[in-house]
Amino acid sequence: MLTIDPKDVTVPQMHSYLLGAVSPRPIAFASTIDKEGNVNLSPFSFFNCFGANPPILIFSPARRGRDNTTKHTYENVLEVDEVVINIVNFSMVEQMSLASTEYPKGVNEFEKSGFTQVASTKVKPPRVAEAPVAFECKVIEVKPIGGKAGSGNLVICEVVLAHIKDEILDDEQRIDPYKLDAVARLGGNWYSRVQGDSIFEIPKPLTTLGIGVDQIPAEIRNSHILTGNDLGRLGNVESLPDKYQIDTFIVSLNVHPKSVEQIHLLAKEYLQKGEVDNAWKILLNRW
């Protein structure tokens, strides 16, 4: 295993390891203006959501590692404490990347990248018409971290208005991840697209109390067939099926595994289908 003390590597090296490992990262496509009214549009992958009441987003236009200079977005939010954070999807990712070009101050990246400016309702910076979601925000604090080359500058924003396109909503007015088609940042030149097999569901144990992996019988827990993910799903049930439930299900199966390996393989098939209770019935049956 490679073990690194940040003091023993260069800033670019540490930057590369961080961005390669902490990924994928959502992208804050931030539109701001300076005190003269000049518009700036730039993406930042040091970004996430940090609360819902009030709704808080934080992104970081870090200081440049090569010369310790600051970015126009950072300078703008100090002059005009408002920002629109636009969400990037696959259909606009190339234009978004173009907007990250370090054009001189005063150049409008909306025009350079071909995006459409739309006037915001509650803040001065415009939003991106092509974005599936746009959050109009008031900047409530700008917190520099370090002041050295590569140091972060946390821009803490409160969402005052959200714009969500109808076409990315499902029948219950929730954002559908397939329709959103979001992209995220990895290390180097790499991105990821949140689509296809990269989207999957895991039941959240918010209102349940799973038995835990430690309560799974050793012969199951030490299986060379079942993975850590399989054990995590098995451990997320609140209770195990009783003998009647097991016997009833096994009769309906009409299969008879002859070895522990075959039993575990069969249980794994049910786990892959999301049928956790039935997987347990297979594992607990005395064949």
Side-chain angles (χ1 to χ4, degrees):
M1 176 177 285
L2 177 64
T3 302
I4 298 170
D5 185 326
K7 299 183 182 66
D8 295 336
V9 296
T10 65
V11 171
Q13 286 176 311
M14 195 67 223
H15 183 267
S16 176
Y17 285 126
L18 284 170
L19 271 60
V22 185
S23 63
R25 300 181 308 283
I27 301 167
F29 200 20
S31 49
T32 58
I33 62 170
D34 64 17
K35 60 186 178 183
E36 305 299 328
N38 296 307
V39 174
N40 182 269
L41 179 65
S42 188
F44 300 94
S45 68
F46 292 166
F47 164 60
N48 221 306
C49 177
F50 290 87
N53 186 24
I56 298 295
L57 304 176
I58 302 177
F59 72 101
S60 176
R63 303 180 77 91
R64 294 184 179 90
R66 63 179 180 271
D67 57 10
N68 198 25
T69 56
T70 56
K71 297 176 181 176
H72 299 146
T73 300
Y74 172 71
E75 296 162 4
N76 285 357
V77 295
L78 292 177
E79 294 181 1
V80 178
D81 57 354
E82 298 176 343
V83 60
V84 179
I85 296 178
N86 304 278
I87 301 302
V88 179
N89 65 7
F90 187 72
S91 68
M92 56 189 287
V93 65
E94 293 282 356
Q95 288 173 274
M96 177 276 299
S97 179
L98 178 57
S100 69
T101 303
E102 293 189 355
Y103 293 111
K105 188 172 178 60
V107 171
N108 187 335
E109 287 85 0
F110 275 90
E111 297 173 359
K112 286 292 185 182
S113 56
F115 283 119
T116 307
Q117 288 186 199
V118 176
S120 295
T121 305
K122 293 189 174 184
V123 299
K124 297 180 183 68
R127 57 189 177 90
V128 177
E130 291 79 4
V133 182
F135 296 105
E136 297 186 22
C137 302
K138 293 284 189 179
V139 176
I140 59 177
E141 184 180 354
V142 180
K143 188 174 181 62
I145 307 294
K148 302 175 183 177
S151 294
N153 295 299
L154 304 186
V155 181
I156 304 172
C157 310
E158 180 176 349
V159 177
V160 295
L161 199 65
H163 304 273
I164 304 172
K165 289 191 173 181
D166 291 332
E167 55 261 38
I168 68 166
L169 298 173
D170 63 18
D171 293 338
E172 298 181 7
Q173 295 295 288
R174 296 174 302 189
I175 293 176
D176 183 325
Y178 290 97
K179 294 177 180 178
L180 178 61
D181 200 12
V183 294
R185 197 74 170 84
L186 308 178
N189 291 329
W190 293 99
Y191 290 80
S192 65
R193 182 180 186 181
V194 187
Q195 195 55 255
D197 291 341
S198 69
I199 300 177
F200 56 93
E201 287 187 290
I202 297 177
K204 283 187 177 182
L206 296 178
T207 58
T208 59
L209 188 65
I211 63 170
V213 171
D214 60 329
Q215 296 302 305
I216 298 175
E219 65 270 19
I220 300 173
R221 192 170 65 246
N222 297 325
S223 170
H224 68 279
I225 301 295
L226 301 173
T227 66
N229 280 336
D230 294 331
L231 296 178
R233 181 156 280 196
L234 289 169
N236 196 31
V237 300
E238 288 191 280
S239 61
L240 300 180
D242 59 32
K243 186 177 185 304
Y244 175 78
Q245 292 171 321
I246 295 171
D247 291 345
T248 302
F249 177 71
I250 295 303
V251 168
S252 71
L253 266 184
N254 199 29
V255 295
H256 302 283
K258 292 184 170 56
S259 67
V260 170
E261 180 175 288
Q262 290 177 334
I263 292 170
H264 289 191
L265 285 169
L266 182 59
K268 190 177 183 71
E269 289 180 19
Y270 279 85
L271 286 171
Q272 290 172 340
K273 293 188 290 186
E275 299 181 24
V276 184
D277 286 343
N278 289 338
W280 264 118
K281 291 169 188 174
I282 292 166
L283 291 168
L284 294 175
N285 183 56
R286 301 303 177 189
W287 298 88

